[in-house]
Amino acid sequence: SVLAYFAINGMHDAIKELEMAEEIQRAEFEAASQVLDEVLATRTAAEKRVDKLDREVSVLNHELRAGLEMGDAKSKTLYKAKKTVGKSKQQHDLVVEWLKDRQENLKKTTGDLQNLVQEMSRRQVISKYGDAPYRVRFSVVLATYSHEPQSFVVEMASLDDMPHSVLLFLDMVRNKLWDNSAFAHEDKAEHVLMAMPMNYHTGSYRRHHFKALGSLEVGFSEYSPRFPHEQYTLGFSGKGPEFYINTYNNTISHGPGGQEYHDLPEDADPCFGRVIDGHDVIDKMLAMTKRVSRDFKNRFSHIMKIEILPS
Protein backbone atom coordinates (compact mmCIF):
# COMPACT_ATOMS: atom_id res chain seq x y z
CA SER A 1 0.00 0.00 0.00
CA VAL A 2 0.96 3.65 -0.18
CA LEU A 3 1.49 3.91 3.56
CA ALA A 4 3.73 0.86 3.62
CA TYR A 5 5.76 2.33 0.74
CA PHE A 6 6.43 5.57 2.58
CA ALA A 7 7.19 3.69 5.78
CA ILE A 8 9.79 1.56 4.02
CA ASN A 9 11.37 4.61 2.33
CA GLY A 10 11.49 6.40 5.68
CA MET A 11 13.31 3.46 7.23
CA HIS A 12 15.83 3.47 4.36
CA ASP A 13 16.46 7.18 4.88
CA ALA A 14 16.93 6.69 8.62
CA ILE A 15 19.37 3.86 8.02
CA LYS A 16 21.37 6.05 5.60
CA GLU A 17 21.50 8.87 8.17
CA LEU A 18 22.70 6.45 10.80
CA GLU A 19 25.37 5.14 8.48
CA MET A 20 26.50 8.70 7.68
CA ALA A 21 26.60 9.60 11.36
CA GLU A 22 28.62 6.48 12.08
CA GLU A 23 31.05 7.40 9.30
CA ILE A 24 31.45 10.91 10.69
CA GLN A 25 32.04 9.54 14.21
CA ARG A 26 34.61 7.11 12.85
CA ALA A 27 36.46 9.94 11.04
CA GLU A 28 36.36 12.13 14.16
CA PHE A 29 37.63 9.23 16.28
CA GLU A 30 40.51 8.63 13.88
CA ALA A 31 41.40 12.36 13.90
CA ALA A 32 41.27 12.45 17.69
CA SER A 33 43.41 9.34 17.88
CA GLN A 34 45.97 10.95 15.58
CA VAL A 35 46.06 14.09 17.72
CA LEU A 36 46.39 11.98 20.85
CA ASP A 37 49.28 10.07 19.30
CA GLU A 38 50.99 13.34 18.44
CA VAL A 39 50.44 14.66 21.97
CA LEU A 40 51.82 11.48 23.45
CA ALA A 41 54.81 11.61 21.12
CA THR A 42 55.45 15.26 22.05
CA ARG A 43 55.08 14.47 25.73
CA THR A 44 57.48 11.57 25.42
CA ALA A 45 60.01 13.77 23.64
CA ALA A 46 59.56 16.47 26.29
CA GLU A 47 59.99 13.96 29.08
CA LYS A 48 63.15 12.72 27.45
CA ARG A 49 64.40 16.28 27.11
CA VAL A 50 63.57 16.99 30.77
CA ASP A 51 65.35 13.84 31.84
CA LYS A 52 68.37 14.90 29.83
CA LEU A 53 68.32 18.37 31.36
CA ASP A 54 67.95 16.90 34.83
CA ARG A 55 70.99 14.75 34.23
CA GLU A 56 72.95 17.74 32.93
CA VAL A 57 71.91 19.82 35.95
CA SER A 58 72.88 16.98 38.26
CA VAL A 59 76.26 16.74 36.58
CA LEU A 60 76.77 20.50 36.84
CA ASN A 61 75.73 20.52 40.48
CA HIS A 62 78.07 17.65 41.18
CA GLU A 63 80.92 19.45 39.42
CA LEU A 64 80.12 22.64 41.28
CA ARG A 65 80.06 20.89 44.65
CA ALA A 66 83.25 19.10 43.77
CA GLY A 67 84.89 22.37 42.77
CA LEU A 68 83.80 24.05 45.97
CA GLU A 69 84.93 21.16 48.08
CA MET A 70 88.29 21.00 46.32
CA GLY A 71 88.82 24.76 46.43
CA ASP A 72 90.46 26.43 49.39
CA ALA A 73 88.73 28.79 51.79
CA LYS A 74 89.79 31.82 49.77
CA SER A 75 88.05 30.52 46.66
CA LYS A 76 84.86 29.88 48.63
CA THR A 77 84.93 33.38 50.10
CA LEU A 78 85.47 34.92 46.67
CA TYR A 79 82.59 32.96 45.20
CA LYS A 80 80.23 34.03 47.97
CA ALA A 81 81.41 37.64 47.72
CA LYS A 82 80.71 37.71 43.99
CA LYS A 83 77.26 36.25 44.56
CA THR A 84 76.51 38.83 47.28
CA VAL A 85 77.81 41.72 45.17
CA GLY A 86 75.69 40.64 42.24
CA LYS A 87 72.58 40.51 44.40
CA SER A 88 73.39 43.85 46.02
CA LYS A 89 73.90 45.45 42.62
CA GLN A 90 70.51 44.23 41.45
CA GLN A 91 68.87 45.67 44.55
CA HIS A 92 70.77 48.93 44.13
CA ASP A 93 69.71 49.22 40.48
CA LEU A 94 66.07 48.63 41.41
CA VAL A 95 66.17 51.30 44.12
CA VAL A 96 67.88 53.80 41.80
CA GLU A 97 65.27 53.18 39.09
CA TRP A 98 62.43 53.64 41.58
CA LEU A 99 63.95 56.85 42.91
CA LYS A 100 64.38 58.22 39.38
CA ASP A 101 60.72 57.53 38.57
CA ARG A 102 59.58 59.09 41.83
CA GLN A 103 61.80 62.14 41.27
CA GLU A 104 60.32 62.67 37.79
CA ASN A 105 56.78 62.39 39.15
CA LEU A 106 57.53 64.82 41.98
CA LYS A 107 59.19 67.23 39.56
CA LYS A 108 56.13 67.18 37.31
CA THR A 109 53.76 67.68 40.22
CA THR A 110 55.89 70.54 41.57
CA GLY A 111 56.03 72.14 38.13
CA ASP A 112 52.24 71.97 37.81
CA LEU A 113 51.80 73.62 41.22
CA GLN A 114 54.31 76.35 40.39
CA ASN A 115 52.51 77.08 37.11
CA LEU A 116 49.24 77.36 39.02
CA VAL A 117 50.79 79.78 41.55
CA GLN A 118 52.22 81.88 38.71
CA GLU A 119 48.88 82.08 36.93
CA MET A 120 47.09 83.09 40.13
CA SER A 121 49.80 85.69 40.83
CA ARG A 122 49.51 87.10 37.32
CA ARG A 123 45.76 87.57 37.75
CA GLN A 124 46.23 89.22 41.16
CA VAL A 125 48.76 91.71 39.80
CA ILE A 126 46.38 92.76 37.04
CA SER A 127 43.44 92.92 39.46
CA LYS A 128 45.35 95.03 42.04
CA TYR A 129 47.65 97.16 39.90
CA GLY A 130 46.10 97.30 36.45
CA ASP A 131 47.95 96.68 33.21
CA ALA A 132 51.70 96.75 32.64
CA PRO A 133 54.18 98.36 32.81
CA TYR A 134 54.59 98.26 36.59
CA ARG A 135 57.12 100.79 37.88
CA VAL A 136 58.22 101.99 41.32
CA ARG A 137 60.29 104.98 42.43
CA PHE A 138 62.89 104.73 45.19
CA SER A 139 63.63 107.86 47.21
CA VAL A 140 66.95 107.46 49.04
CA VAL A 141 69.39 109.53 51.04
CA LEU A 142 72.91 108.34 50.34
CA ALA A 143 75.42 107.73 53.08
CA THR A 144 78.20 110.37 53.26
CA TYR A 145 76.25 112.60 50.82
CA SER A 146 73.98 115.53 51.58
CA HIS A 147 70.59 114.85 53.10
CA GLU A 148 68.91 115.74 49.82
CA PRO A 149 66.88 112.72 48.61
CA GLN A 150 67.81 111.17 45.30
CA SER A 151 65.69 108.80 43.27
CA PHE A 152 65.76 106.03 40.73
CA VAL A 153 62.99 104.12 38.94
CA VAL A 154 62.59 100.36 38.65
CA GLU A 155 60.39 98.56 36.12
CA MET A 156 59.09 95.12 37.03
CA ALA A 157 59.77 92.05 34.91
CA SER A 158 57.11 90.79 32.54
CA LEU A 159 54.23 88.85 34.05
CA ASP A 160 54.98 86.15 31.48
CA ASP A 161 58.30 85.58 33.24
CA MET A 162 58.12 86.49 36.94
CA PRO A 163 54.50 87.07 38.05
CA HIS A 164 54.85 85.57 41.53
CA SER A 165 57.90 87.67 42.47
CA VAL A 166 56.44 90.84 40.95
CA LEU A 167 53.26 90.39 42.99
CA LEU A 168 55.22 89.95 46.22
CA PHE A 169 57.36 93.06 45.67
CA LEU A 170 54.44 95.28 44.62
CA ASP A 171 52.50 94.15 47.69
CA MET A 172 55.51 95.02 49.86
CA VAL A 173 55.65 98.49 48.32
CA ARG A 174 51.90 99.05 48.63
CA ASN A 175 52.08 98.11 52.33
CA LYS A 176 55.05 100.50 52.80
CA LEU A 177 57.16 97.72 54.28
CA TRP A 178 60.37 99.13 52.78
CA ASP A 179 59.77 102.72 53.83
CA ASN A 180 62.40 103.97 56.30
CA SER A 181 64.67 100.97 55.69
CA ALA A 182 68.22 100.83 54.33
CA PHE A 183 70.67 99.70 51.69
CA ALA A 184 73.75 98.18 53.30
CA HIS A 185 77.27 99.04 52.10
CA GLU A 186 79.41 95.95 52.68
CA ASP A 187 82.96 96.13 51.40
CA LYS A 188 83.00 92.34 50.94
CA ALA A 189 79.85 92.41 48.78
CA GLU A 190 80.51 95.00 46.11
CA HIS A 191 78.57 92.97 43.51
CA VAL A 192 75.24 93.87 45.13
CA LEU A 193 73.51 96.60 47.13
CA MET A 194 71.50 94.70 49.75
CA ALA A 195 68.22 96.15 51.02
CA MET A 196 67.77 95.31 54.68
CA PRO A 197 64.32 94.96 56.38
CA MET A 198 65.40 97.13 59.29
CA ASN A 199 64.49 100.49 60.74
CA TYR A 200 67.08 102.96 59.44
CA HIS A 201 67.07 105.07 62.60
CA THR A 202 67.05 102.34 65.26
CA GLY A 203 68.62 99.42 63.41
CA SER A 204 65.86 97.08 64.64
CA TYR A 205 65.02 94.20 62.37
CA ARG A 206 61.40 94.00 61.23
CA ARG A 207 60.88 90.78 59.33
CA HIS A 208 57.88 90.20 61.59
CA HIS A 209 56.13 93.13 59.87
CA PHE A 210 56.52 91.39 56.51
CA LYS A 211 55.27 88.12 57.95
CA ALA A 212 52.26 89.73 59.60
CA LEU A 213 51.16 91.19 56.26
CA GLY A 214 51.76 87.95 54.33
CA SER A 215 54.67 89.39 52.35
CA LEU A 216 57.62 87.54 53.86
CA GLU A 217 58.81 85.49 50.87
CA VAL A 218 57.94 83.89 47.54
CA GLY A 219 56.49 80.40 47.66
CA PHE A 220 59.23 78.93 45.48
CA SER A 221 62.45 80.00 43.75
CA GLU A 222 60.86 81.53 40.68
CA TYR A 223 63.35 82.19 37.87
CA SER A 224 63.28 82.92 34.15
CA PRO A 225 66.31 82.70 31.85
CA ARG A 226 64.72 85.57 29.91
CA PHE A 227 65.29 87.84 32.91
CA PRO A 228 68.75 87.04 34.33
CA HIS A 229 70.72 88.86 37.04
CA GLU A 230 72.35 91.46 34.80
CA GLN A 231 73.72 94.77 36.04
CA TYR A 232 71.09 97.12 37.51
CA THR A 233 68.51 94.36 37.97
CA LEU A 234 66.78 93.55 41.27
CA GLY A 235 66.60 90.12 42.86
CA PHE A 236 65.39 88.52 46.06
CA SER A 237 68.03 87.00 48.30
CA GLY A 238 66.81 83.42 48.42
CA LYS A 239 63.03 83.70 48.71
CA GLY A 240 63.02 87.12 50.40
CA PRO A 241 62.11 89.45 51.90
CA GLU A 242 65.63 90.84 51.50
CA PHE A 243 66.37 92.00 47.98
CA TYR A 244 69.37 93.49 46.25
CA ILE A 245 70.43 95.52 43.24
CA ASN A 246 72.99 93.81 41.04
CA THR A 247 75.83 96.31 40.65
CA TYR A 248 77.68 93.86 38.38
CA ASN A 249 76.51 91.17 35.98
CA ASN A 250 75.69 88.33 38.38
CA THR A 251 73.97 86.05 35.87
CA ILE A 252 76.11 83.05 36.83
CA SER A 253 76.66 83.58 40.55
CA HIS A 254 72.98 84.34 41.27
CA GLY A 255 71.48 82.18 38.53
CA PRO A 256 70.62 78.46 38.69
CA GLY A 257 73.03 76.63 40.94
CA GLY A 258 74.93 79.78 41.84
CA GLN A 259 73.98 79.96 45.53
CA GLU A 260 74.40 77.16 48.08
CA TYR A 261 71.50 78.13 50.37
CA HIS A 262 68.74 77.04 47.98
CA ASP A 263 66.69 73.88 48.52
CA LEU A 264 67.66 72.40 45.17
CA PRO A 265 70.93 72.74 43.25
CA GLU A 266 69.13 74.02 40.15
CA ASP A 267 67.30 76.81 42.03
CA ALA A 268 68.17 80.49 41.58
CA ASP A 269 67.47 83.83 43.22
CA PRO A 270 64.32 85.38 41.69
CA CYS A 271 65.19 88.36 39.46
CA PHE A 272 62.13 90.59 39.17
CA GLY A 273 63.00 94.18 38.20
CA ARG A 274 65.40 96.50 36.40
CA VAL A 275 66.54 100.06 37.06
CA ILE A 276 65.47 102.08 34.02
CA ASP A 277 66.22 105.57 35.31
CA GLY A 278 68.75 106.87 37.85
CA HIS A 279 71.71 104.58 37.17
CA ASP A 280 73.96 107.35 38.48
CA VAL A 281 72.39 106.94 41.94
CA ILE A 282 73.25 103.23 41.91
CA ASP A 283 76.79 104.03 40.80
CA LYS A 284 77.19 106.51 43.68
CA MET A 285 76.07 103.90 46.22
CA LEU A 286 78.50 101.38 44.70
CA ALA A 287 81.32 103.92 45.01
CA MET A 288 80.45 104.37 48.69
CA THR A 289 80.54 100.61 49.20
CA LYS A 290 84.08 100.50 47.87
CA ARG A 291 85.31 103.09 50.36
CA VAL A 292 82.96 102.34 53.24
CA SER A 293 84.17 103.05 56.77
CA ARG A 294 83.18 101.06 59.82
CA ASP A 295 81.16 103.97 61.11
CA PHE A 296 77.56 102.79 61.54
CA LYS A 297 75.92 105.76 59.82
CA ASN A 298 78.15 105.52 56.78
CA ARG A 299 77.43 101.83 56.30
CA PHE A 300 73.81 102.43 55.27
CA SER A 301 71.93 104.53 52.76
CA HIS A 302 68.44 105.52 53.85
CA ILE A 303 65.49 104.18 51.83
CA MET A 304 63.00 106.90 52.67
CA LYS A 305 60.17 105.40 50.67
CA ILE A 306 59.24 103.36 47.62
CA GLU A 307 56.09 104.26 45.73
CA ILE A 308 54.20 102.66 42.86
CA LEU A 309 54.00 104.90 39.80
CA PRO A 310 50.83 105.15 37.71
CA SER A 311 50.89 103.05 34.52
Side-chain angles (χ1 to χ4, degrees), residues 43-87:
R43 179 180 177 181
T44 301
E47 289 176 345
K48 290 181 179 180
R49 179 62 177 165
V50 170
D51 290 340
K52 184 179 179 181
L53 291 174
D54 285 340
R55 290 194 299 271
E56 292 177 353
V57 169
S58 297
V59 171
L60 289 173
N61 285 333
H62 175 73
E63 292 178 351
L64 179 59
R65 286 195 299 270
L68 290 175
E69 291 172 358
M70 293 174 62
D72 57 14
K74 183 177 179 180
S75 298
K76 290 182 181 179
T77 303
L78 180 61
Y79 171 78
K80 291 180 180 178
K82 287 182 177 179
K83 198 171 182 180
T84 302
V85 169
K87 186 175 181 180

Side-chain angles (χ1 to χ4, degrees), residues 66-277:
L68 290 175
E69 291 172 358
M70 293 174 62
D72 57 14
K74 183 177 179 180
S75 298
K76 290 182 181 179
T77 303
L78 180 61
Y79 171 78
K80 291 180 180 178
K82 287 182 177 179
K83 198 171 182 180
T84 302
V85 169
K87 186 175 181 180
S88 298
K89 186 177 185 304
Q90 288 180 343
Q91 293 174 343
H92 173 269
D93 291 344
L94 287 174
V95 171
V96 169
E97 189 66 27
W98 179 82
L99 287 174
K100 285 182 178 179
D101 291 341
R102 182 166 178 78
Q103 185 180 27
E104 288 301 319
N105 291 332
L106 288 174
K107 187 179 293 185
K108 183 180 183 305
T109 301
T110 302
D112 292 341
L113 290 173
Q114 290 177 352
N115 291 337
L116 178 61
V117 170
Q118 287 183 307
E119 177 58 24
M120 293 174 62
S121 297
R122 186 186 69 82
R123 294 181 182 182
Q124 288 187 58
V125 170
I126 295 173
S127 175
K128 291 180 178 180
Y129 306 107
D131 296 327
Y134 307 104
R135 295 171 178 169
V136 299
R137 178 188 291 116
F138 284 68
S139 295
V140 297
V141 175
L142 308 187
T144 71
Y145 274 74
S146 67
H147 293 288
E148 187 70 25
Q150 302 189 48
S151 66
F152 59 93
V153 176
V154 173
E155 182 172 297
M156 299 295 101
S158 168
L159 296 184
D160 293 333
D161 297 325
M162 302 295 294
H164 187 43
S165 301
V166 168
L167 174 63
L168 177 65
F169 188 74
L170 289 178
D171 283 351
M172 289 176 173
V173 174
R174 184 186 65 172
N175 291 323
K176 302 184 183 301
L177 290 171
W178 287 107
D179 290 4
N180 197 34
S181 60
F183 281 115
H185 299 285
E186 295 290 342
D187 55 353
K188 295 181 179 180
E190 295 180 5
H191 62 297
V192 295
L193 289 170
M194 181 68 73
M196 306 297 293
M198 55 175 280
N199 185 298
Y200 174 76
H201 297 291
T202 65
S204 61
Y205 226 48
R206 54 188 193 189
R207 285 175 63 96
H208 57 285
H209 292 171
F210 290 80
K211 185 176 182 179
L213 292 173
S215 298
L216 182 63
E217 61 183 20
V218 291
F220 64 96
S221 297
E222 185 179 40
Y223 182 77
S224 172
R226 292 191 294 266
F227 206 85
H229 289 271
E230 297 175 343
Q231 187 179 24
Y232 300 121
T233 57
L234 277 68
F236 284 119
S237 178
K239 295 180 181 179
E242 295 87 349
F243 72 91
Y244 53 81
I245 300 174
N246 290 293
T247 54
Y248 300 151
N249 188 335
N250 297 317
T251 298
I252 296 177
S253 59
H254 288 260
Q259 301 293 314
E260 296 181 354
Y261 49 72
H262 287 296
D263 296 331
L264 299 173
E266 63 269 21
D267 284 349
D269 283 354
C271 189
F272 60 87
R274 184 188 307 276
V275 178
I276 59 172
D277 184 48

